Amino acid sequence: ASTLHRGPGARELLTATDVSELDRYASQFLAADIPGDVAAYGHRLSAYASSAGGQFGDALRHLDQAQESDPDADVDVRSLIVATPGSPVDSAVIARTRLAVDQWKPSYTHDPDQSLDAIAHSRAHGLLRLHRLGLMALRAGDLATATTAATRLTAVESDSSLSRMASALALSLRARLAAAAGDSARA
């Protein structure tokens, strides 16, 4: 499992493969004789593949099976799926996920032996968290919280190594806020 944790992340696999190939790759980790932590990796990869194929219910079921093995990855992947505009999740799922992201303090930010994916996540965690909270606030109809998230992202210092990312994430939220207000030209 530690090898897989430091191995290719789902983002690298998704950009390099077709969704069906990712699902086929993930299925090898879902056999009955596979240890739980390795199976959790397979379930997370399957969740990415399912959500990319528009099967959001299947994606969340995969995450439910992997949740206890790696809570950090669960909150990360689950919030991405729930924040995706158009994913057919109900308001209770959005509310639970918003609360989980709001309270999330990932353990990997203190891991001295992180994968490249985990290092990038550690550096950008606060920005990604704000963006996800803003997206889920929009899904819940909470425009004030989404606006606050965009404003906080804009406030990242311009000399920071993460300022370009913060600016892009703020622009993403502002575009969605404009669309929610019916201003498609500004969006």
Side-chain angles (χ1 to χ4, degrees):
S2 63
T3 302
L4 291 174
H5 179 70
R6 292 181 183 92
R11 289 168 188 83
E12 289 85 10
L13 292 169
L14 279 171
T15 59
T17 62
D18 178 87
V19 171
S20 61
E21 291 175 20
L22 176 61
D23 198 38
R24 197 169 29 257
Y25 174 76
S27 68
Q28 70 181 320
F29 303 114
L30 302 178
D33 60 341
I34 300 293
D37 51 351
V38 176
Y41 175 77
H43 281 295
R44 282 191 303 279
L45 292 178
S46 290
Y48 275 114
S50 295
S51 64
Q55 300 165 329
F56 296 101
D58 287 347
L60 293 175
R61 280 189 288 280
H62 275 291
L63 292 177
D64 289 343
Q65 294 180 37
Q67 191 171 28
E68 290 181 24
S69 292
D70 189 350
D72 290 335
D74 178 72
V75 172
D76 186 22
V77 178
R78 188 177 301 271
S79 67
L80 183 62
I81 291 168
V82 171
T84 300
S87 65
V89 295
D90 62 29
S91 59
V93 170
I94 294 170
R96 278 193 311 272
T97 307
R98 267 179 88 179
L99 182 62
V101 172
D102 191 48
Q103 296 175 346
W104 184 26
K105 292 178 180 38
S107 60
Y108 59 71
T109 58
H110 305 293
D111 182 357
D113 192 22
Q114 297 179 10
S115 68
L116 291 178
D117 193 40
I119 290 169
H121 248 66
S122 293
R123 291 184 63 225
H125 169 73
L127 303 179
L128 294 171
R129 185 173 164 269
L130 264 176
H131 185 251
R132 299 260 175 91
L133 287 169
L135 289 175
M136 287 185 285
L138 278 166
R139 295 227 41 212
D142 183 356
L143 302 183
T145 298
T147 301
T148 299
T151 301
R152 288 181 60 198
L153 285 165
T154 303
V156 172
E157 294 180 24
S158 62
D159 62 344
S160 163
S161 63
L162 297 174
S163 64
R164 288 178 55 189
M165 174 190 254
S167 178
L169 294 173
L171 185 60
S172 162
L173 286 177
R174 286 207 168 91
R176 286 174 171 84
L177 282 160
D183 189 350
S184 60
R186 198 168 113 239

